[in-house]
Amino acid sequence: AQKVTQAQTEISVVEKEDVTLDCVYETRDTTYYLFWYKQPPSGELVFLIRRNSFDEQNEISGRYSWNFQKSTSSFNFTITASQVVDSAVYFCALSEPYSGGGADGLTFGKGTHLIIQP
Amino acid sequence: DAMVIQNPRYQVTQFGKPVTLSCSQTLNHNVMYWYQQKSSQAPKLLFHYYDKDFNNEADTPDNFQSRRPNTSFCFLDIRSPGLGDAAMYLCATSRDRSGSKTYNEQFFGPGTRLTVL
């Protein structure tokens, strides 16, 4: 069974600080997909990144960066020089290839509520 | 713009009164999903349609049903809503199921927030 753990329920930092959101996953599949989503107060899920299990390259997009480490089953997300607009709930999620009998959806972690104070 | 549309955005129903939530998509995607997200919790997959093939999650209560009359529309029916069914309901679509070499991204709608009085 697949599982995603986000141990940090809430993080509060002051604007311009760097912040890292942790994500640890469990899966029996050798091929899987990892995601980060942002959910602002409006409720809509905003896609941030997808990482395939067969591609361990880390990625940087502006102030956002992601560190994928298969050895520790982690997919951490760092925001550099945080801004108030980054305040939201962030979800890490996992998906496995459809196998004919199992689920074909995303398994989400419980989310980390990030508060950026001005 | 192609998108996933959910109506209404806010729905209020009474305890035990059937309610239907609607999702439509202009992406012509084969797969449509319904997720339930209770307050301060993660979204949880209820079921999905692959074309007309309905796939229920094992722990989805019987109180929840779904219909997909055509490619564009998918409905979530809650036959007898209880107070515990108050949540945000998210619809998502993807072009196809994900395989071992390719992933088909899920596109989420804005959600319908259901209140049960």
Side-chain angles (χ1 to χ4, degrees):
Chain A
Q2 52 194 19
K3 183 180 177 182
V4 177
T5 301
Q6 294 179 255
Q8 304 150 311
T9 305
E10 183 175 291
I11 300 175
S12 180
V13 300
V14 176
E15 199 172 21
K16 296 184 183 176
E17 287 186 14
D18 299 347
V19 58
T20 295
L21 309 181
D22 297 333
C23 174
V24 175
Y25 62 91
E26 295 176 29
T27 176
R28 293 177 187 168
D29 271 348
T30 54
T31 298
Y32 49 90
Y33 307 93
L34 295 163
F35 307 81
W36 277 95
Y37 283 86
K38 176 181 180 180
Q39 189 174 46
S42 61
E44 187 166 358
L45 280 170
V46 178
F47 169 81
L48 296 178
I49 190 172
R50 168 175 55 86
R51 177 57 67 214
N52 308 330
S53 59
F54 43 87
D55 177 8
E56 287 192 71
Q57 268 192 322
N58 291 322
E59 185 158 334
I60 298 174
S61 177
R63 296 184 297 106
Y64 295 171
S65 62
W66 292 269
N67 183 5
F68 175 35
Q69 293 202 341
K70 257 184 167 179
S71 59
T72 55
S73 297
S74 65
F75 186 42
N76 296 336
F77 172 30
T78 298
I79 302 175
T80 303
S82 60
Q83 300 176 1
V84 172
V85 293
D86 296 328
S87 297
V89 179
Y90 290 85
F91 289 98
C92 181
L94 168 72
S95 179
E96 297 168 346
Y98 184 71
S99 59
D104 179 41
L106 294 164
T107 297
F108 288 86
K110 292 187 176 181
T112 297
H113 184 198
L114 179 62
I115 301 168
I116 310 296
Q117 299 177 16
Chain B
D1 288 341
M3 53 197 306
V4 181
I5 302 159
Q6 290 189 245
N7 284 309
R9 294 293 308 278
Y10 299 90
Q11 176 74 57
V12 180
T13 190
Q14 292 181 337
F15 183 95
K17 185 175 180 181
V19 65
T20 295
L21 309 183
S22 168
C23 177
S24 64
Q25 52 126 342
T26 60
L27 298 158
N28 204 33
H29 282 175
N30 283 328
V31 194
M32 295 187 78
Y33 308 81
W34 280 104
Y35 290 84
Q36 177 194 60
Q37 186 181 17
K38 295 186 178 181
S39 181
S40 301
Q41 295 186 25
K44 180 178 179 300
L45 182 65
L46 293 174
F47 26 60
H48 77 274
Y49 269 97
Y50 179 73
D51 194 15
K52 295 181 180 179
D53 182 28
F54 177 71
N55 296 267
N56 200 25
E57 290 302 293
D59 55 356
T60 298
D62 292 340
N63 198 25
F64 291 86
Q65 303 287 318
S66 187
R67 296 171 284 135
R68 189 178 185 187
N70 53 53
T71 300
S72 300
F73 284 87
C74 193
F75 300 100
L76 170 62
D77 300 309
I78 308 176
R79 293 193 293 192
S80 182
L83 298 178
D85 296 328
M88 173 77 88
Y89 289 88
L90 295 161
C91 175
T93 74
S94 67
R95 186 171 57 82
D96 207 330
R97 284 171 167 152
S98 294
S100 59
K101 296 294 183 186
T102 58
Y103 180 81
N104 289 282
E105 182 184 345
Q106 291 191 24
F107 294 81
F108 282 86
T112 294
R113 193 173 294 278
L114 177 68
T115 300
V116 182
L117 299 177

